[in-house]
Amino acid sequence: MPIYPIEPFRIKAIESTRQTTKEEREQLLEKAGYNLFKLRAEDVMIDLLTDSGTAAMSDNQWAGIMLGDESYAGAKSFYNLKEVISTIFGFRHFVPTHQGRAAENILCNVLLESGESIPSNMHFDTTGANIRAVGGRPIDLLIDEGNDPKSRHPFKGNLDIEKLRQFIEATGKENIPFGMITITNNAGGGQPVSMANIKAVSEVYHEYSIPFFIDACRYAENAYFIKLREEGYANRTPLEIAQEMFSYADGCTMSAKKDGLVNIGGFLCMNDDNLFESVQQELILREGFPTYGGLAGRDLEALARGLWEGLDERYLDYRLAQTAYFGESLIEAGIPIVEPPGGHAIYIDAGSFLPHIPADQFPGQALSIEMYIAGGIRTVELGSVAFAYPDPDTGEIKHPPLELVRLAIPRRVYTRSHFDYVIAVMADIAARKSTLRGIEIVTQPELLRHFTATFKIIAES
Ligand code: F0G
């Protein structure tokens, strides 16, 4: 039996959730066109849609909210944050942004030209979209084990060094304005990247004089995986490990809504002085003055405090053990997941869970609909609804390799009984899974259809 860790906190403020009945949920979901994004959050009992911006802040962070300095320029809260970022991340310069994708947008607008390529282990969809928006090409070079849901490789988020070298040789370093790596790899099961891999990736990029940026959203969780799994790091603190990770890079993009433990915020770091000049110009145009960058002073203050709390060893130990408990218990209940459990989420392999539903009838969507109806649980489909597109040359629909449903875990929000409830709901669904039916799309937009498409459950023939 997996062990549930003791929470390194107790609860001071609570947020009530509304109890709904199965009949109510059936009606609510029908009204929402069977798209869980269209539900009102108050109609959800356990919301596992995302771990982004959904953390519970601490009393220390709420106290910081009152102390936020709202000056337009040179606010005290900016300097507090600057000191924290400089200690943890170690880059010479940083600018705040309203969230992670704004940092990506600025970086791409300043460094990237049409036709150029950005390699990574796996780009998150906003990063890929920001690269495409300026005519660039996002390139994913994950190790093969990263695509195998059953492989228990300890660092399934690693970038394949051989593929990287070949890609740079074939493309030409002049067509690669910067390279990236995502830690942990959200698009691939929340799997970590090893220190050895970050170092090797850095060496290859630098051999070709390509600047190296880390997508750092879940860097603290990644650091703790290194501590637990990589030789030589067991006695290092998460802070020391983070400092070493970033010492290999030239900058980073950060969505602070994850390991920053805040509800809004992000930043962009870099060492290069000239790049910093251009970034500041772009920032003023899009986000705000360089000492607030799209955030209120109180947000900067909450983030300065949240970054420290996100690196706390007891917190990280609890965080990763909680995800592992959830994932291993689902496996025990007969639910196939991407193994081993990642840092921030569990990904159910709906394709193999519901083998009677073909990819073009969306097994992931079928499962997430059933999880809401049966238990009031909200998840997100990351399979053919989100990722199947017609091939631009042949028009043939290309399905993604896996039909996944992501159960993302908000930080410091849910307790063991919430997870046990989800596990029980899933065990009940598993016992009658052959009765679940496929899904049909009723309406859909051209792009990013999973956010707004409407669906229906295919009637029994
Ligand atoms: N990079 C990664 C790896 C992410 O997971 C996200 C967001 C971003 C960048 C963009 O950050 O939302 O602050 O603009 N991921 C959220 C999720 C939305 O649900 O996984 P943002």
Side-chain angles (χ1 to χ4, degrees), residues 61 64-72 74-81 96 291-305:
Q61 285 177 290
I65 292 274
M66 280 309 293
L67 296 173
D69 176 353
E70 304 301 343
S71 305
Y72 188 93
K76 191 170 163 201
S77 304
F78 169 79
Y79 288 102
N80 290 346
L81 178 61
T291 63
Y292 73 85
L295 292 172
R298 63 182 81 102
D299 300 325
L300 302 171
E301 195 65 45
L303 176 55
R305 294 163 187 233

Side-chain angles (χ1 to χ4, degrees), residues 50-52 99-101 104 124 126-127 182 186 215 217-218 255 257-258 406:
T50 180
D51 65 318
S52 182
Q99 62 183 77
R101 66 198 70 182
E104 295 160 4
F124 180 65
T126 58
T127 326
T182 311
N186 181 19
D215 178 339
C217 306
R218 300 178 181 87
S255 167
K257 299 169 75 172
K258 284 81 169 174
R406 186 182 75 172

Side-chain angles (χ1 to χ4, degrees), residues 25 52 67 69 71 135 166 185 201 205 218 249 259 276 303 337 359 384 399 425 433 452:
R25 293 192 293 268
S52 182
L67 296 173
D69 176 353
S71 305
Q166 283 168 11
N185 180 20
V201 167
Y205 283 141
R218 300 178 181 87
D259 281 353
F276 182 51
L303 176 55
I337 66 164
S384 285
H399 291 277
V425 169
K433 63 179 189 167
T452 54

